[in-house]
Amino acid sequence: MIFKTKPADVFKERHNGPDKEQMQDMLGTIGVNSLDQLIDETVPAAIRLKKPLNLPAALTEKDFLNKFSQIAKQNKVYKSYIGLGYNDTIVPPVILRNIMENPGWYTAYTPYQAEIAQGRLEALINYQTMVMDLTGMEIANASLLDEGTAAAEAMGMFFAQRKGARKNATRFFVSDLVLPQTIDVLASRATPIGIELVIGDHQEADLNDESLFGALLQYPAANGAVYDYTDFISRAHGQDILVAVAADILSLTLLTPPGEMGADAVVGTTQRFGVPMGFGGPHAGYFATKDAFKRVIPGRIIGLSVDAEGNRAYRMALQTREQHIRREKATSNICTAQVLLAVMSGMYAVYHGPRRLKYIGLNVHALTQQLDKGLKALGFEQQNQHYFDTLNIVLGSADMQEAIRKEAEATGINFLYNGDTKIGISLNQNTDLQDIKAVLAVFAKVAGKSADVLTIDTLPEETDITWADSLIRKSEYLQQEVFNKHHSEHEMLRYMKHLENKDISLVHSMIPLGSCTMKLNATSEMIPVTWPEIGQLHPFAPSDQTKGYEQIFSDLEAWLCEITRFDAVSLQPNSGAQGEYAGLMVIRAYHESRGDHHRNIALIPSSAHGTNPASAVMAGMKVVIVKCDEKGNIDVADLRAKAEQYKNELSCLMVTYPSTHGVYEESIIEVCQVIHDNGGRVYMDGANMNAQVGLTSPAHIGADVCHLNLHKTFCIPHGGGGPGMGPIGVVKDLAPFLPGHAVRKINGEKAIHAVSAAPWGSASILPISYAYIAMMGGEGLTEATKVAILNANYIKARLEQHYPVLYVGKNGRCAHEMILDCREFKKVGIEVEDIAKRLMDYGFHAPTVSFPVAGTLMVEPTESEPKEELDRFCNVMISIREEIREIESGKADQKNNVLKNAPHTAKVVMVENWERPYSREKAVFPMAFLRDNKVWPTVSRIDSAYGDRNLVCSCAPIEAYSENGNEMVAIG
Ligand SMILES: *Cc1c(COP(=O)(O)O)cnc(C)c1O
């Protein structure tokens, strides 16, 4: 007998949800004969690519992992004592496996739907509390992208809040001992908004200079020296100058926190709290400040509130500040941050508690003292009189430095080589006495001396901290219960699982979020992230140790160029919004290079995502809004009129494609042409790239720059609100302006300043996107785009009799997402929010609510959902529609119904006397499948306004709750 053979395991068949048969079914429902017919009816012929993607042949999962491990092995994992804000750390294995490597945590979405996000919200409030306590500040946010951008946000916040005598001041003092990459990011962010940096010695700064409005200091300083900034800060305050301090989080276990010195903001990174260096990221940047600034803090803040039953419940506080509401009035464009990494660092503090954290700090400091002693015994000069973990060694000559570098690298050790004759050594949690001896052996060998200068085998039992008494931390920290409870591994494991179980993530059901593309994050894509060759590299390690990364970057850049048809890619921006900012700064630099300094108008359609206008303002541009017509398309006449009106000042257009309304606008080529004809460039927001890959491309359509949200289109998981990556692609004449970096030279003369702290942003998650492209191949990627369009149109076909679909293309098709109009239901008192909350009772996360149109839901299924899941979602949406019809027909009450009271917790339905006008069964098991597969929301509808009026953003003291832990008493 002859049997036909075929490969048994092709990745694209795992990534794409529906199989051939299901697809045929779905096409029937939509009313087309073939997938190609659907695509032809959906994507305008004028923008279709003529050639298929030219990418390497798709690999199986097994072959990919084999091949990739060979690439990763070209990275050499040395002991890195380079410091500069990146330090080796020990990720507690219980956190590594149960959070970092756990899809229950990493596939969650940003916690907009708070009732099914209580777990990560609690984890984030722990993180905020940790940051507040350690820095000595009154309020902290739930993470920023990195230390450099956190410092820039502080500068921006101070600038917006200038006061008193310095109301109109425009200069910002930066200590020359601030980390070099932070200064680079500050330089990028200062100029466009009219700030001038003054870089100098903080001991000689002239604070009487009336042009200064703020200052930034580093603690301990970049060279490791510890200074008391109390006097500087009080003198600054006397002049109405606001002061930010960038502080090392571990040092604050021993050092007086900047908050106690009077700092107005404290920023930094929590990387060394249990997050691998990852060749630069991702890790959580932190931002803490005074209560007085609580309404102007960048990023997201998690706060406490109450639910409908008066139970304590968390949610994102002060949502009105989000840029999607403030738009061009926003002073920050932060959207995706670093939630997963903030969760990890917060858990690191939960696991270790204040006592062990202090021991970690003390051990690092004690080892540094021993090293200092040993180096002195060998005759070396160390310049830091007071230090925490960093020594600053001055050598006699550059030759000596070179000899030490050679010897160190031969033994697998990296130091910081500063100037010609200095060496910096920063120790970390992973350093032990053996490591110190190995370091001393390097110096001894070069000095021609015996290495036997440290005769001890264990650290002394006591450590004498010799810095000034005023700098020795006396205040307590992390006294809240959560940091003093979960110290055995079992307790820790159960605490994390307890939180995880409160949340809905992709492990439960599809998350149909329009614009955010919650597709499969395949396990094979995730596996390399925690390999030591990927995770344990210092971003400033010498390039001969990072050949693996070099190949990853160059392959990925080439592939992204092929996909976008651009000429060059920068992998530096570490979120979509950062990509926007970077791209606009590139356009700005381009215009300036041609003497067009006055080109500063950004045209932005009214339907744009809020980050677009916010980024434009940060890049120093003036936003002019372009109208959309009643079909949701850009009003081309209005665009043309405005482009011509501003033709001498036009910098660029920012446009999302397909539009945020889920339509491939036919006019896009003309739109780009109009902008080019008037001297502007076209910035494309690539959030909807999942509807382009393989079918069309930004460059093909006419864009000059575009960011790619790798955490949307290219499979990096959302992490509950980060990490992400937002690389930008550009056409040839813009390539020279792509971001550079102060420490690692990555671009030429014309490069703009760094937009992220690390040269390649969050480098260690790039393997995820690499894996996706390598395993899908050009054909698989193109098929994914087609299936994404198929899935969306299938949902549309199934739901449009129940919910009107706003905006479709000329053949009545939607792109990869669609907007369901829910505004009709207001007549019977049902808001779109009620539908979002009712979906929780059915075990689903809501689609995007009220973006880009208020009162609507935007649904994006992605290609990864199989037909069964799409059907389950559609059936649920139809069931909810029936529940609304019951209200419409008068069968159900307008105020007291399953939607208004959603979500229903177990506690709510288990009451003795059920008094609602519907059954308990209808409340929690409205469909049969739920009896077998129920996700129980742990709180009922949360009162956000209450929480905003009574802002509490840290682990509340236990006394804040009454006996039964239920009733919330007045706090704050
Ligand atoms: C997600 C998104 C952004 C912002 O990207 P982040 O990675 O969250 O910063 C910008 N524009 C659109 C249309 C988006 O959907």
Side-chain angles (χ1 to χ4, degrees):
M1 278 259 278
I2 309 268
F3 288 92
K4 234 176 152 171
T5 54
K6 256 190 146 183
D9 222 347
V10 176
F11 179 73
K12 68 174 187 186
E13 294 172 5
R14 307 288 185 186
H15 176 87
N16 291 336
D19 63 23
K20 285 256 143 43
E21 235 169 74
Q22 292 176 331
M23 280 200 217
Q24 222 38 61
D25 249 26
M26 293 159 69
L27 291 165
T29 306
I30 295 168
V32 287
N33 297 320
S34 67
L35 189 53
D36 285 334
Q37 185 193 342
L38 173 66
I39 301 305
D40 289 343
E41 289 181 10
T42 307
V43 188
I47 63 162
R48 292 285 292 273
L49 293 177
K50 305 285 178 293
K51 279 190 314 195
L53 291 179
N54 180 17
L55 293 168
L59 299 175
T60 63
E61 292 175 74
K62 180 189 114 196
D63 288 346
F64 164 72
L65 286 170
N66 282 336
K67 190 169 168 217
F68 199 75
S69 76
Q70 294 309 312
I71 297 174
K73 277 188 193 125
Q74 296 175 48
N75 288 334
K76 293 184 212 145
V77 184
Y78 281 26
K79 291 264 176 189
S80 280
Y81 304 115
I82 300 170
L84 291 183
Y86 303 92
N87 300 278
D88 201 3
T89 177
I90 298 172
V91 187
V94 68
I95 296 175
L96 175 72
R97 174 156 294 184
N98 297 289
I99 291 185
M100 195 179 187
E101 299 180 334
N102 176 357
W105 283 95
Y106 68 65
T107 69
Y109 180 61
T110 307
Y112 284 116
Q113 297 299 332
E115 292 84 355
I116 45 164
Q118 289 296 297
R120 54 194 190 276
L121 286 165
E122 178 168 329
L124 288 172
I125 220 158
N126 293 346
Y127 170 85
Q128 288 176 179
T129 307
M130 170 192 93
V131 170
M132 287 160 57
D133 270 23
L134 286 169
T135 57
M137 300 302 282
E138 290 161 340
I139 190 166
N141 73 9
S143 81
L144 289 175
L145 292 163
D146 52 39
E147 177 162 335
T149 54
E153 294 289 349
M155 174 179 74
M157 186 180 89
F158 290 171
F159 190 57
Q161 302 297 314
R162 283 170 293 177
K163 53 176 193 174
R166 303 302 168 93
K167 191 101 199 117
N168 298 310
T170 54
R171 301 211 304 167
F172 188 70
F173 177 82
V174 184
S175 155
D176 53 9
L177 292 176
V178 165
L179 300 177
Q181 69 272 22
T182 298
I183 297 180
D184 203 6
V185 174
L186 289 172
S188 162
R189 297 276 281 268
T191 318
I193 53 173
I195 297 174
E196 190 192 332
L197 299 185
V198 184
I199 300 168
D201 182 342
H202 78 275
Q203 288 160 318
E204 281 161 24
D206 175 13
L207 300 179
N208 296 323
D209 176 348
E210 287 182 357
S211 66
L212 290 179
F213 68 88
L216 175 69
L217 307 166
Q218 188 89 36
Y219 184 63
N223 63 5
V226 174
Y227 297 99
D228 189 341
Y229 295 129
T230 310
D231 179 55
F232 180 97
I233 294 171
S234 89
R235 282 191 299 122
H237 285 172
Q239 302 290 336
D240 288 330
I241 295 172
L242 297 165
V243 182
V245 177
D248 177 289
I249 195 86
L250 185 60
S251 75
L252 301 183
T253 57
L254 305 180
L255 282 165
T256 298
E260 290 172 24
M261 297 177 178
D264 300 288
V266 185
V267 298
T269 169
T270 54
Q271 178 267 314
R272 69 190 307 180
F273 272 22
V275 179
M277 289 184 285
F279 202 43
H283 347 99
Y286 74 78
F287 187 101
T289 186
K290 292 180 169 166
D291 193 62
F293 296 112
K294 70 185 173 205
R295 306 214 173 244
V296 291
I297 296 179
R300 297 172 172 136
I301 308 165
I302 311 307
L304 191 62
S305 191
V306 290
D307 76 356
E309 270 73 51
N311 299 300
R312 59 192 291 189
Y314 304 108
R315 88 284 175 248
M316 292 203 275
L318 306 171
Q319 293 258 347
T320 45
R321 281 191 41 271
E322 288 286 330
Q323 19 33 40
H324 67 254
I325 294 172
R326 301 213 30 196
R327 301 182 72 87
E328 66 269 20
K329 285 182 203 70
T331 46
S332 159
N333 65 349
I334 285 285
C335 185
T336 288
Q338 302 282 19
V339 167
L340 187 73
L341 305 310
V343 167
M344 286 177 69
S345 289
M347 287 299 179
Y348 178 92
V350 168
Y351 189 48
H352 288 303
R355 203 161 41 91
R356 287 186 182 84
L357 281 181
K358 189 165 199 157
Y359 288 147
I360 293 168
L362 272 169
N363 286 339
V364 170
H365 181 60
L367 283 165
T368 315
Q369 287 190 1
Q370 292 302 323
L371 180 59
D372 188 21
K373 221 158 92 183
L375 286 168
K376 283 201 178 108
L378 288 171
F380 287 92
E381 189 195 336
Q382 197 283 114
Q383 287 202 321
N384 291 340
Q385 194 197 350
H386 297 303
Y387 50 79
F388 165 61
D389 66 354
T390 299
L391 302 178
N392 182 14
I393 298 133
V394 185
L395 305 166
S397 68
D399 287 350
M400 184 87 157
Q401 192 198 51
E402 196 43 42
I404 290 174
R405 179 203 287 268
K406 257 179 126 170
E407 184 59 27
E409 288 176 6
T411 35
I413 293 175
N414 292 322
F415 300 130
L416 174 68
Y417 301 98
N418 235 337
D420 286 342
T421 57
K422 284 191 178 176
I423 288 184
I425 307 181
S426 296
L427 304 188
N428 57 68
Q429 187 195 4
N430 215 359
T431 315
D432 59 25
L433 211 50
Q434 284 322 108
D435 296 321
I436 300 298
K437 290 181 177 177
V439 168
L440 289 170
V442 169
F443 282 83
K445 182 145 183 210
V446 172
K449 294 191 178 162
S450 156
D452 271 351
V453 286
L454 277 192
T455 49
I456 50 173
D457 290 320
T458 52
L459 277 178
E461 283 184 7
E462 289 181 340
T463 300
D464 182 13
I465 295 183
T466 60
W467 56 67
D469 186 61
S470 63
L471 284 175
I472 296 180
R473 181 164 192 153
K474 318 262 184 338
S475 54
E476 304 224 78
Y477 45 86
L478 306 183
Q479 297 302 301
Q480 301 81 356
E481 191 180 356
V482 69
F483 298 107
N484 293 282
K485 203 173 164 187
H486 310 291
H487 296 167
S488 73
E489 179 159 336
H490 252 154
E491 286 233 62
M492 188 66 197
L493 178 66
R494 288 168 190 154
Y495 176 60
M496 292 188 299
K497 193 55 81 174
H498 166 70
L499 295 190
E500 181 192 337
N501 287 344
K502 292 173 185 237
D503 292 9
I504 287 186
S505 69
L506 285 175
V507 307
H508 300 98
S509 47
M510 70 185 282
I511 300 185
L513 272 161
S515 213
C516 288
T517 316
M518 299 290 287
K519 57 166 70 176
L520 171 76
N521 315 117
T523 312
S524 296
E525 292 156 3
M526 297 302 295
I527 281 176
V529 174
T530 47
W531 287 348
E533 294 85 357
I534 299 299
Q536 284 176 21
L537 266 62
H538 191 288
F540 309 145
S543 62
D544 62 341
Q545 294 165 29
T546 63
K547 293 289 170 208
Y549 264 118
E550 248 170 58
Q551 185 175 344
I552 295 167
F553 300 152
S554 72
D555 286 350
L556 189 58
E557 284 174 16
W559 299 345
L560 294 178
C561 281
E562 172 62 16
I563 289 167
T564 56
R565 302 277 151 107
F566 281 127
D567 294 282
V569 161
S570 164
L571 296 172
Q572 194 177 92
N574 48 8
S575 77
Q578 286 283 89
E580 292 171 20
Y581 172 74
L584 294 177
M585 290 300 285
V586 163
I587 291 175
R588 180 187 157 96
Y590 159 83
H591 286 311
E592 287 192 343
S593 76
R594 296 157 45 97
D596 285 343
H597 302 277
H598 45 279
R599 289 199 171 272
N600 72 339
I601 299 269
L603 298 181
I604 302 180
S606 58
S607 62
H609 192 272
T611 53
N612 290 188
S615 299
V617 170
M618 286 168 62
M621 297 183 186
K622 246 175 74 192
V623 175
V624 173
I625 303 293
V626 178
K627 285 191 222 148
C628 287
D629 64 22
E630 71 287 354
K631 292 205 187 94
N633 293 319
I634 293 175
D635 180 336
V636 181
D638 188 52
L639 175 98
R640 190 183 297 278
K642 282 177 174 147
E644 282 167 8
Q645 178 187 349
Y646 295 110
K647 71 172 188 284
N648 296 322
E649 297 119 288
L650 183 63
S651 174
C652 63
L653 166 75
M654 292 187 87
V655 61
T656 307
Y657 200 80
S659 74
T660 52
H661 289 159
V663 177
Y664 294 92
E665 284 164 283
E666 302 267 343
S667 59
I668 187 70
I669 292 178
E670 184 190 351
V671 162
C672 294
Q673 195 56 51
V674 168
I675 297 303
H676 289 151
D677 288 348
N678 289 285
R681 307 303 298 252
V682 176
Y683 183 91
M684 186 170 284
D685 178 330
N688 289 344
M689 193 65 197
N690 212 42
Q692 289 196 36
V693 179
L695 300 181
T696 182
S697 76
H700 185 70
I701 295 166
D704 300 296
V705 195
C706 175
H707 77 256
L708 303 173
N709 302 67
L710 298 188
H711 49 299
K712 295 179 180 173
T713 315
F714 294 93
C715 296
I716 292 176
H718 263 63
M725 271 296 274
I728 54 172
V730 294
V731 292
K732 202 168 191 159
D733 66 337
L734 296 181
F737 304 102
L738 287 174
H741 194 273
V743 182
R744 277 202 76 151
K745 204 160 168 43
I746 54 169
N747 217 334
E749 288 294 293
K750 292 183 178 165
I752 59 168
H753 283 288
V755 297
S756 303
W760 295 277
S762 296
S764 66
I765 52 175
L766 291 173
I768 302 168
S769 300
Y770 187 104
Y772 174 59
I773 298 171
M775 295 192 295
M776 292 291 273
E779 215 187 291
L781 289 174
T782 308
E783 197 175 303
T785 311
K786 293 179 180 175
V787 176
I789 293 168
L790 169 70
N791 280 1
N793 279 283
Y794 176 70
I795 291 184
K796 173 173 166 290
R798 284 214 53 201
L799 291 184
E800 63 194 343
Q801 310 90 287
H802 305 280
Y803 299 87
V805 172
L806 275 185
Y807 315 128
V808 286
K810 72 168 187 223
N811 298 313
R813 307 289 171 213
C814 62
H816 64 311
E817 61 191 7
M818 85 223 67
I819 297 175
L820 303 179
D821 194 351
C822 302
R823 292 172 294 191
E824 246 328 89
F825 313 143
K826 279 181 198 281
K827 284 192 193 138
V828 291
I830 295 300
E831 301 289 331
V832 65
E833 167 132 294
D834 299 319
I835 300 173
K837 303 304 172 191
R838 182 59 176 158
L839 274 163
M840 297 171 185
D841 284 333
Y842 288 86
F844 277 98
H845 190 291
T848 301
V849 176
S850 289
F851 172 77
V853 181
T856 66
L857 292 172
M858 182 154 60
V859 177
E860 177 181 1
T862 83
E863 70 279 9
S864 299
E865 297 302 339
K867 180 167 178 293
E868 287 85 14
E869 186 67 358
L870 301 176
D871 281 332
R872 214 164 63 88
F873 173 70
C874 290
N875 295 341
V876 163
M877 288 300 290
I878 292 166
S879 175
I880 292 176
R881 183 66 188 91
E882 291 307 326
E883 291 169 354
I884 298 170
R885 287 194 182 108
E886 286 170 10
I887 304 167
E888 288 168 340
S889 70
K891 226 175 111 193
D893 187 81
Q894 282 207 12
K895 296 219 168 73
N896 191 0
N897 57 55
V898 282
L899 283 121
K900 280 287 167 205
N901 293 331
H904 297 82
T905 62
K907 240 191 295 193
V908 162
V909 293
M910 293 303 282
V911 287
E912 199 62 40
N913 298 312
W914 178 256
E915 285 169 350
R916 299 198 175 164
Y918 49 89
S919 71
R920 290 172 159 120
E921 181 152 40
K922 185 172 174 121
V924 297
F925 294 145
M927 287 177 79
F929 77 86
L930 290 160
R931 292 174 183 281
D932 276 341
N933 189 6
K934 175 74 185 172
V935 183
W936 288 98
T938 54
V939 295
S940 33
R941 188 82 63 99
I942 297 173
D943 182 346
S944 271
Y946 178 93
D948 284 348
R949 281 194 311 271
N950 307 280
L951 196 62
V952 177
C953 303
S954 58
C955 302
I958 319 295
E959 315 84 73
Y961 304 93
S962 68
E963 297 269 275
N964 60 14
N966 235 351
E967 198 95 334
M968 179 131 160
V969 298
I971 45 174

